[in-house]
């Protein structure tokens, strides 16, 4: 719909060769509008007959007020799924109806370059590929596809180069590259081939090789034919335009033609959507998502990463039950976990999780086991995302410099914080934390990730119980804590240092992440409670506890070597061999060193022998 000085133009496309244009003018042109009313009704009927909006209903109406009626024609759609016919030409016409010059809600300007500036390395790679074409008189057109083109146009560097070929398979072209290298006396490169797997929506075979120390992926352009009652397409070589329309998003459908050194926007929307900051699919979104359901998560990731706007019809399709089922049934958990990992490691992880939650996909992605205890309620969805958002803002507010892996695990731990006490019974009748199941089964991430996140949760809980004593400066008694750790008999003023030191030795460099999680829970210790409270106060609590830990000299305490090793313990206590007794004394000696950081070896031995003698006396 366009507006020009009171004149509104609505263009409705019916089918190839049929075009109805209707002029709606200002209120005083009543005669024209009166004649138009019947036409609008017929247009409505025709659109419904053509089933442009599958599963929706469309009605038209005219309203008027006062003695001189002001007619306001409008079209109302119920359940506007916008599922257009599966033809590119007709879909482009339909999309043109809704295409606007809309601006992004953010005031942040989007700068899109007119041309792509190649780095020296990229020039080397593309020159080599053109040399291969020339050497073998190949008529193959080489195009860089997808994210590389998008990022270069946005002025960002990208090292992920995917090359699409129009008339041969990727491995065939890689073999030609090696033939060329042999002819020039250069060393050939190994070729890796990733087979297609249609059952998991991996439709194309991909070949990979290194050129000038850069990994390049080669894949053929594709078109897809769908058999009746089957979601798995028959793959064929296609044109660049057909391939562009099979891409996940318009901003990822751009090509850089290596033969002509030019950018190609074959959907006619890629550059416009990039400039206006819109996340749009080249074909109807539900169709696109059912072809490869992972595209839902990719759309969410790019929406969050670039802070773009996801169009409404895409949101409707992403929340569709058929699409949710396809995510669970068609996509391998490894692919889902990889996509989630990219979101969590990205620049806007909290926004990405908020989108997943709003679309009703949180438990589709982070699928919990059946029969959890306590039950995971609808409240958990909101609270999990709320904790991650709070954790993200808390981290930036405090200004901690985490490593990439520490940051990643901290964010996972914050998202799953409300589930830290939730368990289930596995096939071996063992009680297992749900967090462990989500990492190992729902996301198929590393076992160590599950262990590290659960350790962060456990240490955060214990730090939470120590925070009141740190802030108040009062001496503590270990009986006041619900810990399994038995503390050696020392003056009460030393026990806080021992307990803090033990926790830091357990969590090591990630102790600040655990402390940050504990301050999120501070005075808010409920799994399904609405997260409230002053973030500034939480930051102050974090800083106070952090300063106390540093003042006690506990940073890097896990690097302190024991004054007495296991062999010395066996010798001093005249034991026949090692075992549980030695392990117990090692734990006690660690506590002694924490209590007396300036203690000598002689003092440590003296304390140990006296304690051993007391124990024998009691026995």
């Amino acid at each position: 719909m366009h507006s020009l000085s009171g004149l509104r133009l609505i263009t409705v496309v019916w089918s190839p060769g049929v075009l109805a244009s209707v002029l709606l003018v200002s209120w005083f042109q009543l005669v024209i509008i009166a004649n138009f009313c019947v036409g609008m009704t017929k247009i409505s009927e025709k659109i419904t007959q053509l089933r442009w909006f599958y599963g929706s209903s469309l009605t038209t109406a005219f309203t008027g007020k006062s003695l001189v009626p002001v007619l306001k024609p409008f079209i109302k759609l119920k359940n506007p799924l916008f599922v257009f016919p599966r033809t590119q030409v007709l879909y482009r016409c339909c999309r043109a109806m809704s295409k606007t010059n809309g601006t992004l809600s953010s005031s942040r300007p989007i700068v899109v370059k007119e041309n792509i500036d190649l780095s020296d390395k990229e020039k080397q790679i593309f020159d080599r590929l053109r040399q291969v074409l020339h050497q073998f008189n190949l008529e193959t057109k080489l195009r860089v596809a997808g994210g590389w083109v998008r990022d270069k146009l946005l002025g960002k560097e990208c090292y992920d180069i995917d090359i699409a070929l129009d008339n041969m398979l990727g491995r065939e072209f890689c073999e030609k590259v090696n033939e060329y290298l042999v002819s020039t006396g250069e060393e050939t490169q190994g070729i890796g081939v990733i087979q297609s797997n249609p059952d998991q929506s991996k439709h194309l075979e991909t070949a990979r090789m290194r050129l000038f120390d850069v990994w390049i992926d080669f894949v053929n352009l594709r078109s897809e034919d769908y058999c009746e009652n089957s979601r798995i397409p028959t793959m064929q070589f296609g044109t660049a335009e057909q391939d562009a329309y099979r891409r996940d998003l318009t901003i990822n459908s751009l090509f850089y033609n290596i033969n002509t050194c030019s950018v190609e926007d074959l959907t006619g929307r890629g550059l416009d959507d990039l400039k206006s900051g819109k996340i749009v699919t080249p074909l109807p979104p539900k169709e696109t998502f059912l072809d490869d359901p992972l595209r839902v998560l990719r759309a969410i990731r790019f929406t969050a990463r670039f802070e773009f706007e996801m169009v409404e019809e895409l949101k409707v399709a992403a929340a569709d039950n058929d699409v949710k089922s396809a995510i669970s049934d068609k996509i391998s958990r490894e692919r889902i976990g990889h996509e989630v990992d990219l979101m969590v490691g990205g620049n806007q992880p909290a926004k990405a999780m908020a989108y997943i939650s709003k679309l009703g996909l949180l438990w589709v992605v982070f699928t919990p086991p059946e029969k959890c205890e306590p039950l995971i309620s609808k409240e958990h969805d909101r609270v999990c995302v709320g904790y991650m958002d709070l954790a993200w803002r808390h981290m930036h507010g405090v200004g901690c410099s985490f490593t990439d892996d520490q940051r990643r695990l901290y964010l996972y731990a914050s998202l799953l914080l409300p589930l830290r006490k939730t368990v289930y019974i596995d096939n071996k009748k063992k009680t297992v934390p749900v967090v462990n199941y989500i990492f190992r089964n729902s996301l198929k991430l590393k076992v160590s990730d599950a262990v590290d996140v659960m350790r962060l949760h456990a240490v955060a809980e214990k730090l939470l119980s120590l925070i009141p004593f740190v802030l108040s400066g009062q001496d503590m008694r270990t009986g006041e804590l619900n810990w399994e750790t038995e503390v050696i008999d020392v003056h009460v003023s030393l026990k806080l240092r021992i307990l803090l030191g033990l926790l830091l030795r357990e969590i090591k460099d990630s102790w600040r992440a655990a402390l940050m999680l504990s301050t999120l829970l501070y005075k808010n210790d409920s799994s399904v409670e609405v997260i409230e409270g002053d973030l500034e106060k939480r930051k102050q609590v974090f800083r106070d506890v952090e300063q106390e830990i540093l003042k006690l000299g506990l940073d890097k305490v896990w690097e302190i070597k024991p004054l007495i090793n296991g062999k010395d313990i066996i010798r001093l206590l005249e034991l026949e061999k090692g075992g549980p007794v030695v392990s117990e004394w090692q734990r006690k000696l660690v506590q002694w060193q924490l209590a007396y950081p300036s203690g000598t070896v002689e003092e440590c031995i003296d304390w140990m022998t006296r304690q051993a003698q007391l124990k024998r006396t009691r026995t």
Side-chain angles (χ1 to χ4, degrees), residues 98-117:
S98 59
K99 186 174 177 182
T100 67
N101 294 322
T103 57
L104 198 60
S105 56
S106 170
S107 58
R108 179 178 58 86
I110 301 172
V111 179
V112 178
K113 292 188 171 186
E114 293 296 324
N115 300 297
I116 287 179
D117 299 322

Side-chain angles (χ1 to χ4, degrees), residues 85-102:
R86 296 171 66 113
T87 63
Q88 295 170 9
V89 174
L90 191 53
Y91 183 66
R92 277 182 291 180
C93 294
C94 299
R95 289 299 300 269
M97 292 170 56
S98 59
K99 186 174 177 182
T100 67
N101 294 322

Side-chain angles (χ1 to χ4, degrees), residues 369-384:
E370 296 180 358
K371 299 180 181 178
C372 300
E373 180 61 40
L375 291 175
I376 297 177
S377 67
K378 292 181 179 179
E379 281 292 295
H380 281 92
D381 191 312
R382 175 180 55 81
V383 178
C384 284

Side-chain angles (χ1 to χ4, degrees), residues 38-236:
V38 177
M40 281 298 292
T41 304
K42 290 182 178 180
I43 290 171
S44 170
E45 293 172 354
K46 186 63 178 178
I47 291 175
T48 305
Q49 289 170 6
L50 287 172
R51 295 182 62 78
W52 282 5
F53 302 94
Y54 294 142
S56 25
S57 61
L58 182 148
T59 59
T60 57
F62 294 87
T63 60
K65 293 180 182 179
S66 76
L67 295 175
V68 181
V70 180
L71 300 183
K72 295 182 179 180
F74 63 92
I75 298 176
K76 182 179 181 182
L77 286 171
K78 295 180 180 178
N79 305 318
L81 300 183
F82 293 91
V83 181
F84 296 101
R86 296 171 66 113
T87 63
Q88 295 170 9
V89 174
L90 191 53
Y91 183 66
R92 277 182 291 180
C93 294
C94 299
R95 289 299 300 269
M97 292 170 56
S98 59
K99 186 174 177 182
T100 67
N101 294 322
T103 57
L104 198 60
S105 56
S106 170
S107 58
R108 179 178 58 86
I110 301 172
V111 179
V112 178
K113 292 188 171 186
E114 293 296 324
N115 300 297
I116 287 179
D117 299 322
L118 299 179
S119 66
D120 291 340
K121 182 78 71 174
E122 290 161 348
K123 289 176 183 176
Q124 277 184 304
I125 293 170
F126 297 162
D127 285 344
R128 172 57 51 87
L129 296 177
R130 284 190 288 265
Q131 288 162 3
V132 173
L133 294 177
H134 179 73
Q135 173 81 3
F136 298 102
N137 295 316
L138 298 176
E139 296 182 357
T140 304
K141 290 185 174 61
L142 302 175
R143 293 176 170 89
V144 187
W148 181 89
V149 186
R150 177 201 65 226
D151 287 353
K152 296 290 283 188
L153 287 171
L154 290 173
K156 304 175 185 294
E157 285 304 315
C158 182
Y159 306 99
D160 185 14
I161 301 178
D162 299 326
I163 294 182
L165 307 100
D166 66 339
N167 63 358
M168 66 169 61
L169 295 175
R171 57 183 165 82
E172 294 173 340
F173 187 81
C174 289
E175 289 165 0
K176 288 294 183 184
V177 173
N178 272 339
E179 284 185 48
Y180 175 84
L181 293 176
V182 170
S183 70
T184 58
E186 298 177 65
E187 184 180 351
T188 59
Q189 299 293 319
I191 301 171
V193 178
I194 304 170
Q195 299 295 334
S196 63
N197 184 0
D199 289 335
Q200 295 293 341
S201 294
K202 175 72 174 68
H203 300 313
L204 291 177
E205 174 188 286
T206 304
R208 168 174 284 197
M209 74 185 307
R210 285 177 73 89
L211 290 175
F212 299 101
D213 295 323
V214 176
W215 282 105
I216 313 291
D217 285 349
F218 296 87
V219 68
N220 59 283
L221 294 171
R222 62 171 171 154
S223 67
E224 299 174 355
D225 291 328
Y226 286 80
C227 299
E228 190 175 354
N229 300 324
S230 174
R231 286 183 185 168
I232 299 176
T234 302
M235 300 307 305
Q236 298 177 355

